[in-house]
Amino acid sequence: NVQQGAKLYDVRTAEEYASGHFANAELWPLTNLEAGTFPNVSKDTQIYVYCRSGNRSSQATSLLEKAGYTKVTDLGGLADVEKIGGVQQR
């Protein structure tokens, strides 16, 4: 729950994020993670990631876990997040 300090990261591109993203989602492109730039949050923060189809979120989950983050959840793609109640904002 984002209200309790969890983070929701959209790992798509800035252009994709600008075209619509979920409430409380922060942009953290997969390219940042691939370059070794990780969120400045505690390693035990609950982190949720999503992308367009689920491919990049899977890669992001792996990179975050390799960097030592212990509570990373891959929500999948946009349709997957909508299925669990996510509403896109534009």
Side-chain angles (χ1 to χ4, degrees), residues 1-86:
N1 187 318
V2 175
Q3 284 78 20
Q4 296 170 335
K7 294 290 186 179
L8 175 61
Y9 293 122
D10 183 322
V11 298
R12 300 175 300 157
T13 65
E15 294 77 19
E16 287 173 300
Y17 180 82
S19 72
H21 57 273
F22 294 103
N24 300 314
E26 296 177 42
L27 176 63
W28 202 277
L30 178 62
T31 52
N32 285 11
L33 299 172
E34 290 172 332
T37 304
F38 295 96
N40 186 20
V41 296
S42 171
K43 299 276 185 170
D44 65 352
T45 298
Q46 177 64 61
I47 295 174
Y48 299 95
V49 295
Y50 72 90
C51 63
R52 183 183 56 78
S53 67
N55 184 25
R56 285 174 283 182
S57 61
S58 175
Q59 293 175 55
T61 298
S62 178
L63 288 166
L64 286 161
E65 288 174 344
K66 284 179 185 164
Y69 293 87
T70 59
K71 296 180 182 174
V72 184
T73 302
D74 179 358
L75 296 179
L78 297 174
D80 300 308
V81 179
E82 287 174 350
K83 281 181 198 162
I84 60 170

